[in-house]
Amino acid sequence: MVLQARNKHREAAPKPPRASRSPLRAAPDAGAEEPGPERAPPSPGRKGAAGRKGPRAEPVAPPAGGGLRGRLAAGLRGALGLRRAGRGRTWTTLLLAAFAAVLHWSHITHLFENDRHFSHLSTLEREMAFRTEMGLYYSYFKTIVEAPSFLNGVWMIMNDKMTEYPLIINTLKRFNLYPEVILASWYRVYIKTMDLIGIQTKTCWTVTRGEGLSPIESCEGLGDPACFYVAVIFILNGLMMALFFIYGTYLSPSSPLMAVSSLHGRFMFICKVYTKSFLFETACFSAESVAVSGSRLGGLVTVLCFFFNHGECTRVMWTPPLRESFSYPFLVLQMLLVTHILRATKLYRGSLIALCISNVFFMLPWQFAQFVLLTQIASLFAVYVVGYIDICKLRKIIYIHMISLALCFVLMFGNSMLLTSYYASSLVIIWGILEMKPYFLKINVPELSLWVIQGCSWLFGTVTLKYLTSKIFGIADDAHIGNLLTSKFFSYKDFDTLLYTCAAEFDFMEKETPLRYTKTLLLPVVLTVLIAVVGRIISDMWNVLTKRQTHVRKQQFDHGELVYHALQLLAYAVLGILIMRLKLFLTPHMCVMASLICSRQLFGWLFCRVHPGAVVFAVLAAMSIQGSANLQTQWNIVGEFSNLPQEELIEWIKYSTKPDAVFAGAMPTMASVKLSALRPVVNHPHYEDAGLRARTKIVYSMYSRKPAEEVKRELIKLQVNYYILEESWCIRRSKPGCSMPEIWDVEDPANAGRPPLCNLLVKDSKPHFTTVFQNSVYKVLEVIEE
């Protein structure tokens, strides 16, 4: 806007001045010449040039509001003032964000230590504390750390025979293990550096456990692999809170000027201005160079809402090694960048590169990331269809997503699940729709009908392309996701689906969850914001549909990021309601949306009457009543990890079986056997592969009603030497129809009515198996080969 105004001035400057001045124009300073037609500057060799001899005259102040140089100088002074103000705002915001990061890091570290007394556990106990998938992921970190060299460790996990014996698999490709590879490299560098300069990295002591248990050695410090691993995860999630503060600050503009400001900081354009004798190449700062826009109250609201609803926002303090602990912080960064891109009036290459990098860092650690990005792409496409972003901006975003997907495909050694995903299909279909826009515009239909046509084209095109690519590449690894969603709406059931839906984290959202949101006022605040946004959308849509489009598009572009966040919130709500585990996306996004309570765009009518700070602090005070109680409940959780039956099992395996003895059993237990006993296993908790699901089904037939001879025959085909039987798996039942025998009745109705095999083997394992170890929880059966 500034550049356009100056261009007009430059075009008007050569015109001779009017004889009479406008009364609104300021009088010139004393001694200043009246502006007139510009003369050609005197050449350097010309005699008699003014000021040639004697002292150079002092420059005279230009008239206020007149003269090109005067206006340029005034503009430059204003720009430099804006720069200083922006720089001050930046440092203040960054300091507050850093404080939020330290606070969250301290909070989750404290909770983790209180829950498990992790600093006083032995190495074996720490490894056992990483149950199910956590133990599986940590085992690869341990492999690289204990290998003779880093490259040798990476080669070992890329040619792994321990995880799905006797198959040799590339676990880096299958299990999204780049976080473990990076952390293992950092650990090795850290240890070598500290050893080189002679700094002690850990402290060890003997811990007496009592109750007739033998003492253990416990080491604390970053020199211990488990402590290092957990510490880095907590630091990363502490930094995530800094991003949330910046996110909330940026999303809640405190004035119309800041509503269009940019995160780029000092973006400059060169204003080449030719005057009488000077060539100015001046760095002019535009109004979009404010470093961080918005109200820091918005950042405060986001952070406090996160803390007040901490148990609903994250589980990193209980399950550090899960993929979401590494991946989700980069989603926060990615969504912040998307918000900036939607708000920016001009796209810069740096923003697009940053978006690409954040996409890659989000997708590499977590196989579920593609489904989250699918919801984002769908939301952005909907925002485009109704006219809140232009086609050029969406096209660039789609290209960046395609590039990042291609990079992940290469880094994941050609993981075909990425190419056959709904996310990849959606990108291709949206790109096709954008290229077909001229043909859509030729369709003589109302605006609303055009929206429906584009939406249906995207939906049916994505599903069809996904089906075709899966058939062409022969990929069925993600088929269970479709079956899981089908089971949510229909009565479809199979073995794999029931294993998921019988677990509480994959069931529907608890009825208590919305009540907990309401008690902290998070839900009422977000609904208030959502109603305000929807009201703005309805107003815009009505103007478009009734053809009253004067300035409508421009107004839409000014708050397109608000529409995107509203749609993204709805998408996360659907995911969270269908699968309770996915509320980790919903709740933090609700905290971000709550920051819009500070937005003058939405609530300017209120802030004209009441000071914004008064409104915000009143809301936060009300939130803190239940929020502080929630925090106190977390702080009161005090425990100490102990699993003596599993410790006995691991010790027996390590000292009583051969190093190449192959084990089978429940998925969580197999992760611990592989991690701590270092024995090959045939199944594990990473359930995303079709082949692994088939193996697990064979292993879990021990809890079916099949004959023992048939089960034994299948185990021998897998080359299993020992089976770890857990009686609790035979009798436990999370809800009706969810005990293992009941699940098998759905899968194998022919044997329904017979006694479960596990009950028979608990009493007497002969003649097909031999009991070689037993305690209160585990019974190890040796498979007798005929």
Side-chain angles (χ1 to χ4, degrees), residues 240-539:
M240 178 189 71
M241 191 55 62
L243 286 175
F244 270 119
F245 181 84
I246 296 172
Y247 199 167
T249 298
Y250 187 69
L251 187 61
S252 54
S254 58
S255 69
L257 172 62
M258 292 180 179
V260 295
S261 59
S262 167
L263 270 177
H264 277 288
R266 302 183 206 171
F267 286 134
M268 298 181 292
F269 57 86
I270 301 300
C271 301
K272 294 186 177 180
V273 183
Y274 294 89
T275 59
K276 293 182 180 179
S277 58
F278 300 97
L279 170 63
F280 288 93
E281 291 188 2
T282 309
C284 303
F285 292 82
S286 71
E288 292 184 1
S289 65
V290 180
V292 178
S293 73
S295 168
R296 285 187 289 268
L297 286 177
L300 178 65
V301 169
T302 298
V303 170
L304 289 181
C305 283
F306 194 101
F307 273 99
F308 292 159
N309 299 273
H310 198 269
E312 307 293 329
C313 287
T314 181
R315 52 179 183 169
V316 65
M317 58 284 190
W318 316 130
T319 56
L322 288 183
R323 301 299 83 187
E324 65 211 42
S325 302
F326 295 102
S327 186
Y328 186 74
F330 293 103
L331 176 63
V332 179
L333 174 61
Q334 192 262 5
M335 292 184 66
L336 174 58
L337 290 168
V338 169
T339 304
H340 164 61
I341 289 172
L342 292 177
R343 179 178 290 178
T345 55
K346 181 179 180 182
L347 285 183
Y348 292 90
R349 185 179 301 175
S351 299
L352 298 176
I353 293 174
L355 179 62
C356 181
I357 293 173
S358 61
N359 275 354
V360 172
F361 276 52
F362 173 53
M363 282 193 283
L364 276 183
W366 198 11
Q367 68 276 6
F368 190 79
Q370 54 179 293
F371 297 101
V372 178
L373 292 179
L374 170 65
T375 66
Q376 181 180 97
I377 290 299
S379 300
L380 288 173
F381 180 66
V383 172
Y384 156 76
V385 167
V386 296
Y388 280 92
I389 55 174
D390 60 88
I391 187 172
C392 181
K393 186 175 288 188
L394 180 61
R395 184 182 284 119
K396 289 182 179 180
I397 294 175
I398 294 298
Y399 287 158
I400 290 300
H401 275 269
M402 287 180 169
I403 292 171
S404 57
L405 180 64
L407 288 174
C408 287
F409 178 75
V410 173
L411 292 173
M412 293 294 291
F413 304 93
N415 191 325
S416 54
M417 275 187 66
L418 292 174
L419 292 186
T420 60
S421 63
Y422 285 102
Y423 170 53
S425 300
S426 180
L427 289 174
V428 174
I429 295 301
I430 292 176
W431 172 81
I433 292 174
L434 296 183
E435 294 301 315
M436 295 287 290
K437 182 179 180 180
Y439 299 97
F440 280 112
L441 294 178
K442 292 180 180 179
I443 302 176
N444 189 20
V445 294
E447 186 88 10
L448 182 60
S449 300
L450 188 60
W451 296 349
V452 174
I453 291 172
Q454 293 182 83
C456 292
S457 299
W458 168 78
L459 179 61
F460 292 114
T462 299
V463 173
T464 301
L465 185 58
K466 156 66 179 172
Y467 175 79
L468 292 177
T469 53
S470 297
K471 289 296 182 182
I472 292 172
F473 290 97
I475 301 300
D477 292 339
D478 57 352
H480 64 298
I481 300 296
N483 293 339
L484 177 60
L485 293 177
T486 302
S487 69
K488 297 288 184 177
F489 300 102
F490 306 101
S491 59
Y492 177 82
K493 294 180 181 179
D494 63 14
F495 182 82
D496 298 325
T497 300
L498 286 171
L499 283 185
Y500 275 107
T501 55
C502 286
E505 58 267 29
F506 287 97
D507 203 352
F508 288 101
M509 178 187 287
E510 300 171 311
K511 296 179 181 178
E512 293 79 10
T513 300
L515 180 60
R516 288 193 285 266
Y517 291 155
T518 303
K519 287 181 177 180
T520 59
L521 296 186
L522 179 61
L523 185 58
V525 169
V526 171
L527 287 178
T528 301
V529 170
L530 195 60
I531 290 171
V533 174
V534 170
R536 182 73 63 88
I537 295 173
I538 292 175
S539 175

Side-chain angles (χ1 to χ4, degrees), residues 4 8 28 31 76 96 136 163 187 191 337 361 374 528 596-597 606 609 623 662 735 737:
Q4 293 174 359
K8 292 178 181 179
L76 183 58
L96 291 173
L136 180 69
T163 307
Y187 176 82
I191 293 298
L337 290 168
F361 276 52
L374 170 65
T528 301
L596 289 172
I597 199 70
L606 175 62
R609 299 171 175 83
M623 284 182 166
V662 182
K735 59 182 180 180

Side-chain angles (χ1 to χ4, degrees), residues 645 648-650 652 770-775 778-781:
E648 294 172 355
L649 171 68
I650 297 298
W652 179 85
T770 301
T771 301
V772 292
F773 172 83
Q774 185 172 2
N775 62 18
Y778 303 100
K779 185 173 187 177
V780 180
L781 307 178

